[in-house]
């Protein structure tokens, strides 16, 4: 395992960039139509509770990655199998995000470039950073989160000046009642992206002050959740719920409509740069978690020899995961409600239950 340390600010930056990830690009929560922003807020509240579960598990065994903790809690054999499922999930989720990045680049700017080339460039860039270590990724995160905030503020100012925001598109609130909202929250806006944060269980051992990990994580989730809710509300206010829901990349469509004084036009690059950067960090954390988990399960002395092989698996899976973008999005919804829900909610809750049962019997003994 790597001998490295990250501080609280770096963890905060990585979590915020991770949560933005593909959530800011795809139609996140728009199954709830005009009330998508509300579904995201409710999902954020549940996400903080879910992160607290991940943190409870990690703090019981400080210094161990999630794959090592699973063996401590569930036993060597069953724990190894569970750890292997975690690794498979990290690889699968990273491959989905690589595919999102490739499709985004092909849709926006590189329509004649093969998808394999675009995905390869992303995986190679992430793999190079991970080979250098988690400290390098964390330091880059500190820089880029400032850039993303500045770009976000710039984009919002330009959208306001262009006069394309119509708040009436958000009304009436709860037009179809609470049912569409809760059907979107459970499990969509909880699992994606907050359930995916289980991969940070592989990074917690590197945090300098582990007693602060829960508080830092909750602050970061609330901050990013509020910004996500605002962004989706802005998408709807500009495009309308129907157009936003049909757009593959609603943020990109929205920013393309910005026109200020018949001079500033075609500001797609702001949105494109933002979405690619946050997706880069999400892929990086999942990719790194997969590499560390593999090294831990198969007892490698160093994770670095595994960066290239795991990267190749992620690259190939990103190509074969679906034949089209529509199939890719449909498969994502199916996996969230089944495989991802089991991995990110079911197993962690089972592990917490076993922890408390052991403590309870230990006290009685």
């Amino acid at each position: 395992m790597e001998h490295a340390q990250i501080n609280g600010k770096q963890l905060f930056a990585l979590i915020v960039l991770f949560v933005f990830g593909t959530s800011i690009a795809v139609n996140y929560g728009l199954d709830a139509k005009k009330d998508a922003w509300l579904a995201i807020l409710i999902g954020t509240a549940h996400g903080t509770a879910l992160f607290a579960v991940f943190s409870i598990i990690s703090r019981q065994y400080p210094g161990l990655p999630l794959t090592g903790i699973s063996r401590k809690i569930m036993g060597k054999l069953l724990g190894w199998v569970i750890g292997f499922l975690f690794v498979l999930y990290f690889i699968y989720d990273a491959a989905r995000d690589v595919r999102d990045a490739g499709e985004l680049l092909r849709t926006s700017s590189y329509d004649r470039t093969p998808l394999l080339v675009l995905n390869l460039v992303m995986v190679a860039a992430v793999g190079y950073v991970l080979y250098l270590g988690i400290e390098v990724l964390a330091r880059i995160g500190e820089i880029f989160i400032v850039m993303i905030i500045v770009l976000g503020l710039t984009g919002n100012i330009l959208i306001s000046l262009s006069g394309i925001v119509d708040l009436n598109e958000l009304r009436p609130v709860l037009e179809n009642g609470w049912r569409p909202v809760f059907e979107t929250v459970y499990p969509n806006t909880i699992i994606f992206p907050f359930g995916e944060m289980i991969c940070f269980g592989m990074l917690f051992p590197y945090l300098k002050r582990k007693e602060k990990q829960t508080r830092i994580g909750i602050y970061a989730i609330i901050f990013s959740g509020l910004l996500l809710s605002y962004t989706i509300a802005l998408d709807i206010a500009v495009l309308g719920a129907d157009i936003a829901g049909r757009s593959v990349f609603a943020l990109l469509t929205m920013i393309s409509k910005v026109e200020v004084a018949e001079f500033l036009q075609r500001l797609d690059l702001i949105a494109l740069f933002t979405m690619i950067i946050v997706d880069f960090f999400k892929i990086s954390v999942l990719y790194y978690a997969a590499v560390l988990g593999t090294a831990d399960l198969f007892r490698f002395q160093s994770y670095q020899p595994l960066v290239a092989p795991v990267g190749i698996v992620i690259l190939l899976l990103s190509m074969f995961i679906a034949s089209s973008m529509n199939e890719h999005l449909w498969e994502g919804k199916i996996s969230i409600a089944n495989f991802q829900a089991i991995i990110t909610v079911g197993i962690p809750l089972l592990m917490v239950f076993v922890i408390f049962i052991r403590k309870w019997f230990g006290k009685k003994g």
Side-chain angles (χ1 to χ4, degrees), residues 53-65:
V53 171
F54 302 154
S55 187
I56 287 172
I57 295 172
S58 176
R59 293 188 65 178
Q60 297 303 309
Y61 301 92
L64 283 181

Side-chain angles (χ1 to χ4, degrees), residues 216-279:
I216 292 170
I218 290 175
Y219 287 163
I221 290 171
I222 293 173
F223 176 75
S224 52
L226 290 173
L227 289 183
L228 277 177
S229 179
Y230 168 78
T231 302
I232 297 300
L234 193 61
D235 288 342
I236 296 170
V238 172
L239 302 174
D242 290 335
I243 296 177
R246 290 197 300 268
S247 300
V248 178
F249 303 107
L251 180 62
L252 197 63
T253 305
M254 176 187 67
I255 202 73
S256 67
K257 293 183 173 294
V258 173
E259 180 180 337
V260 180
E262 297 184 355
F263 173 68
L264 288 174
Q265 299 177 345
R266 302 295 300 171
L267 301 175
D268 310 41
L269 283 177
I270 293 178
L272 182 61
F273 180 78
T274 300
M275 290 188 285
I276 290 298
I277 290 301
V278 293
D279 198 17

Side-chain angles (χ1 to χ4, degrees), residues 50-107:
L50 194 56
F51 182 84
V53 171
F54 302 154
S55 187
I56 287 172
I57 295 172
S58 176
R59 293 188 65 178
Q60 297 303 309
Y61 301 92
L64 283 181
L66 185 63
T67 48
I69 292 173
S70 66
R71 298 198 299 277
K72 285 285 186 179
I73 296 175
M74 308 303 293
K76 289 185 178 180
L77 180 59
L78 180 58
W80 194 96
V81 172
I82 290 175
F84 189 64
L85 287 176
F86 283 139
V87 170
L88 291 180
Y89 171 69
F90 300 149
I91 292 174
Y92 168 78
D93 209 15
R96 290 195 58 81
D97 292 330
V98 170
R99 180 63 176 264
D100 286 333
E103 293 285 0
L104 174 61
L105 288 169
R106 188 166 66 167
T107 301

Side-chain angles (χ1 to χ4, degrees), residues 320-343:
F320 297 126
I321 203 168
S323 59
S324 66
M325 186 60 180
N326 288 333
E327 182 181 334
H328 172 65
L329 295 174
W330 175 82
E331 181 191 290
K333 290 183 178 180
I334 298 300
S335 68
I336 285 174
N338 296 280
F339 171 64
Q340 295 192 53
I342 293 172
I343 298 295

Side-chain angles (χ1 to χ4, degrees), residues 42-318:
I42 297 173
T44 301
H46 286 79
T48 58
L50 194 56
F51 182 84
V53 171
F54 302 154
S55 187
I56 287 172
I57 295 172
S58 176
R59 293 188 65 178
Q60 297 303 309
Y61 301 92
L64 283 181
L66 185 63
T67 48
I69 292 173
S70 66
R71 298 198 299 277
K72 285 285 186 179
I73 296 175
M74 308 303 293
K76 289 185 178 180
L77 180 59
L78 180 58
W80 194 96
V81 172
I82 290 175
F84 189 64
L85 287 176
F86 283 139
V87 170
L88 291 180
Y89 171 69
F90 300 149
I91 292 174
Y92 168 78
D93 209 15
R96 290 195 58 81
D97 292 330
V98 170
R99 180 63 176 264
D100 286 333
E103 293 285 0
L104 174 61
L105 288 169
R106 188 166 66 167
T107 301
S108 60
S109 304
Y110 301 94
D111 54 309
R112 295 187 179 182
T113 304
L115 182 62
L116 176 61
V117 174
L118 298 173
N119 289 4
L120 175 61
V121 171
M122 176 61 80
V123 172
V126 172
Y128 174 72
V129 172
L130 296 187
Y131 188 85
L132 297 177
I134 185 63
E135 287 186 352
V136 173
L137 179 66
R139 289 169 186 167
I140 296 174
E142 280 187 295
I143 298 171
F144 274 101
I145 193 173
V146 176
M147 294 179 63
I148 294 301
I149 291 173
V150 171
L151 286 175
L153 291 173
T154 304
N156 275 275
I157 291 171
L158 294 174
I159 290 170
S160 300
L161 293 175
S162 66
I164 58 177
V165 179
D166 182 6
L167 295 180
N168 290 319
E169 293 289 348
L170 295 168
R171 301 170 183 164
V173 178
L174 296 176
E175 181 180 13
N176 299 310
W178 284 99
R179 183 173 179 178
V181 175
F182 286 126
E183 287 179 347
T184 303
V185 172
Y186 306 104
N188 292 347
T189 60
I190 298 177
I191 305 300
F192 171 67
F194 303 111
E196 295 172 309
M197 291 180 62
I198 192 171
C199 62
F200 279 89
M202 302 298 299
L203 273 64
F204 285 150
Y206 300 120
L207 186 63
K208 287 182 181 178
R209 302 186 64 179
K210 296 177 178 56
E211 70 277 5
K212 290 188 174 183
Q213 69 187 33
T214 305
R215 185 171 59 184
I216 292 170
I218 290 175
Y219 287 163
I221 290 171
I222 293 173
F223 176 75
S224 52
L226 290 173
L227 289 183
L228 277 177
S229 179
Y230 168 78
T231 302
I232 297 300
L234 193 61
D235 288 342
I236 296 170
V238 172
L239 302 174
D242 290 335
I243 296 177
R246 290 197 300 268
S247 300
V248 178
F249 303 107
L251 180 62
L252 197 63
T253 305
M254 176 187 67
I255 202 73
S256 67
K257 293 183 173 294
V258 173
E259 180 180 337
V260 180
E262 297 184 355
F263 173 68
L264 288 174
Q265 299 177 345
R266 302 295 300 171
L267 301 175
D268 310 41
L269 283 177
I270 293 178
L272 182 61
F273 180 78
T274 300
M275 290 188 285
I276 290 298
I277 290 301
V278 293
D279 198 17
F280 173 90
F281 279 95
K282 186 174 183 181
I283 294 167
S284 297
V285 175
L286 288 164
Y287 187 170
Y288 189 69
V291 170
L292 287 184
T294 305
D296 179 52
L297 291 175
F298 293 97
R299 301 182 182 280
F300 278 74
Q301 294 298 317
S302 172
Y303 76 95
Q304 289 177 324
L306 294 169
V307 171
V310 173
I312 292 172
V313 173
I314 291 173
L315 174 63
L316 295 177
L317 187 58
S318 73

